[in-house]
Amino acid sequence: MRRLNRKKTLNLMKELDAFPKVPESYVETSASGGTVSLIAFTTIAFLTIMEFMVYRDTWMKYEYEVDKDFTSKLRINIDITVAMRCQYVGADVLDLAETMVASADGLTYEPVVFDLSPQQKEWQRMLQLIQSRLQEEHSLQDVIFKSAFKSASTALPPREDNSLQSPDACRIHGHLYVNKVAGNFHITVGKAIPHPRGHAHLAALVSHESYNFSHRIDHLSFGELIPGIINPLDGTEKIASDHNEMFQYFITVVPTKLHTYKISAETHQFSVTERERVINHAAGSHGVSGIFMKYDISSLMVTVTEEHMPFWQFLVRLCGIIGGIFSTTGILHGFGRFVAEVIFCRFRLGSYRSRSVPLPDGHTSNHLPLITDNSTH
């Protein structure tokens, strides 16, 4: 009884076989079939390699929501060199809430030489080249996000030469914490002092001939400082054509949460527009000479997440590639054989077409003459 049950089970499993085996004596090979098979296997190998490269790669997913955090402080990271002596310039922040943040809260004034060394000039040239490519190809920003903390720091390298030139510029670097409202970070003549109506700068003791707001922005960012991230104003250099010149930067800051396989940080992206003009009250161009960065905080927050293709999706796509190529090449090969057989059959029918035979009464016969024994002699 057990053997009988095993045979029934085995026969049942044979009936459920979806891949019946064809005896080799029934299989006919051909040169055309071998050629198509070779093309199919080559295509499968190529597409499999490409699909594996896609599986290894990652992409950035962007999600947008309303920023509900209004109580926390916003960090501003600053590294700017101005072509004036440190005792002549002052930097501070004044926001819409009439809150003044002095530079003494986190900025350092360092006397330096404004002209860069050869190595520093090469660094600045490469940074400006990257900035121009980022403006043309926005997809490169995804590469920068994924390479954060892995690439080298974007900070200006120290001087490699011992310059004997006396310092003629002031490097203002450090960070400030401000309210998450629109504000104005500016660098102008004289140190800032509190004022009941805002603030003022002690500029009376500085002559106009010493004004020179040529500057270089080595770094400017908002939020957590992330090495490897290139910001829109990094590497910017402006040369003043007049003593009384105003440089304005209008910045829109977007809170950003960055989640990659390497880091998870809260930073801020920003876009900027620039304007510069000479202060001439007689010509109607009013204002104060200096560098003004007016920033505004966007109400939207962007969440940037690095995603990867799941392994099951990779297997499904791979099975679709292999099965689809086999089915497609089989259909094309069968259609090609059908067309070839139709054409060859017509040629064969033409070769066996009947010949005309003349009769004694002047008619013709389209039938082939009957071959007899007498006709062979």
Side-chain angles (χ1 to χ4, degrees), residues 210-317:
S210 62
Y211 286 14
N212 184 6
F213 285 100
S214 299
H215 61 280
R216 182 176 59 253
I217 303 175
D218 296 326
H219 180 78
L220 179 69
S221 64
F222 297 84
E224 184 178 347
L225 187 60
I226 302 177
I229 298 296
I230 299 177
N231 298 278
L233 286 177
D234 293 354
T236 301
E237 184 176 87
K238 299 290 184 181
I239 304 299
S241 59
D242 192 271
H243 294 292
N244 296 326
E245 192 159 358
M246 173 190 285
F247 296 91
Q248 293 176 304
Y249 299 92
F250 302 93
I251 300 173
T252 301
V253 183
V254 181
T256 304
K257 291 184 178 180
L258 182 61
H259 301 286
T260 67
Y261 290 103
K262 296 294 181 179
I263 63 170
S264 180
E266 293 187 6
T267 181
H268 290 71
Q269 302 179 82
F270 66 91
S271 60
V272 59
T273 55
E274 306 173 10
R275 185 189 179 192
E276 56 184 86
R277 58 188 176 92
V278 177
I279 302 301
N280 189 350
H281 299 286
S285 178
H286 304 290
V288 179
S289 303
I291 305 168
F292 296 85
M293 298 182 177
K294 298 182 179 181
Y295 60 88
D296 192 8
I297 312 297
S298 174
S299 59
L300 291 179
M301 181 176 62
V302 181
T303 303
V304 184
T305 308
E306 185 177 8
E307 292 192 343
H308 185 271
M309 180 187 298
F311 183 70
W312 65 266
Q313 187 175 354
F314 169 70
L315 291 180
V316 170
R317 292 166 64 98

Side-chain angles (χ1 to χ4, degrees), residues 188-210:
T188 187
V189 178
K191 302 300 180 182
I193 57 174
H195 194 271
R197 296 184 178 181
H199 75 297
H201 288 262
L202 294 174
L205 301 179
V206 183
S207 63
H208 287 276
E209 287 74 15
S210 62

Side-chain angles (χ1 to χ4, degrees), residues 93-112:
V93 177
L94 185 65
D95 58 25
L96 290 182
E98 298 298 331
T99 302
M100 176 182 171
V101 181
S103 60
D105 295 337
L107 296 183
T108 302
Y109 293 79
E110 179 184 352
V112 294

Side-chain angles (χ1 to χ4, degrees), residues 7-261:
K7 289 183 178 180
K8 288 183 178 180
T9 304
L10 189 60
N11 293 332
L12 180 61
M13 296 302 296
K14 288 182 178 180
E15 292 179 359
L16 295 176
D17 187 6
F19 308 97
K21 308 301 182 295
V22 181
E24 294 184 1
S25 58
Y26 295 166
V27 178
E28 180 182 357
T29 59
S30 62
S32 61
T35 303
V36 173
S37 300
L38 182 61
I39 296 174
F41 288 134
T42 304
T43 306
I44 289 174
F46 175 75
L47 292 181
T48 301
I49 295 174
M50 297 298 295
E51 189 66 23
F52 182 73
M53 294 176 63
V54 173
Y55 170 72
R56 290 187 57 189
D57 195 14
T58 60
W59 61 88
M60 309 305 293
K61 179 182 178 182
Y62 293 83
E63 296 178 334
Y64 303 88
E65 59 181 321
V66 177
D67 184 16
K68 300 178 181 179
D69 183 12
F70 300 105
T71 59
S72 62
K73 295 289 186 178
L74 175 63
R75 171 171 168 161
I76 306 179
N77 307 296
I78 302 163
D79 191 351
I80 302 176
T81 302
V82 185
M84 293 180 65
R85 298 186 182 275
C86 292
Q87 61 266 27
Y88 296 155
V89 296
D92 63 291
V93 177
L94 185 65
D95 58 25
L96 290 182
E98 298 298 331
T99 302
M100 176 182 171
V101 181
S103 60
D105 295 337
L107 296 183
T108 302
Y109 293 79
E110 179 184 352
V112 294
V113 178
F114 187 77
D115 292 334
L116 297 175
S117 65
Q119 180 183 357
Q120 291 175 330
K121 288 182 179 179
E122 182 65 19
W123 171 88
Q124 186 184 32
R125 188 187 68 82
M126 292 299 298
L127 189 57
Q128 291 176 349
L129 179 61
I130 295 174
Q131 293 284 19
S132 62
R133 292 294 301 274
L134 283 173
Q135 294 176 3
E136 297 174 358
E137 303 179 18
H138 300 285
S139 59
L140 291 178
Q141 188 64 45
D142 292 350
V143 180
I144 294 178
F145 280 148
K146 289 190 288 186
S147 62
F149 277 167
K150 293 192 299 183
S151 58
S153 175
T154 58
L156 179 69
R159 300 185 69 93
E160 76 282 2
D161 58 342
N162 297 322
S163 177
L164 300 178
Q165 183 180 354
S166 60
D168 58 350
C170 183
R171 179 190 175 198
I172 304 173
H173 59 96
H175 61 272
L176 297 173
Y177 288 95
V178 299
N179 298 321
K180 291 189 69 174
V181 295
N184 182 6
F185 169 76
H186 52 274
I187 302 173
T188 187
V189 178
K191 302 300 180 182
I193 57 174
H195 194 271
R197 296 184 178 181
H199 75 297
H201 288 262
L202 294 174
L205 301 179
V206 183
S207 63
H208 287 276
E209 287 74 15
S210 62
Y211 286 14
N212 184 6
F213 285 100
S214 299
H215 61 280
R216 182 176 59 253
I217 303 175
D218 296 326
H219 180 78
L220 179 69
S221 64
F222 297 84
E224 184 178 347
L225 187 60
I226 302 177
I229 298 296
I230 299 177
N231 298 278
L233 286 177
D234 293 354
T236 301
E237 184 176 87
K238 299 290 184 181
I239 304 299
S241 59
D242 192 271
H243 294 292
N244 296 326
E245 192 159 358
M246 173 190 285
F247 296 91
Q248 293 176 304
Y249 299 92
F250 302 93
I251 300 173
T252 301
V253 183
V254 181
T256 304
K257 291 184 178 180
L258 182 61
H259 301 286
T260 67
Y261 290 103

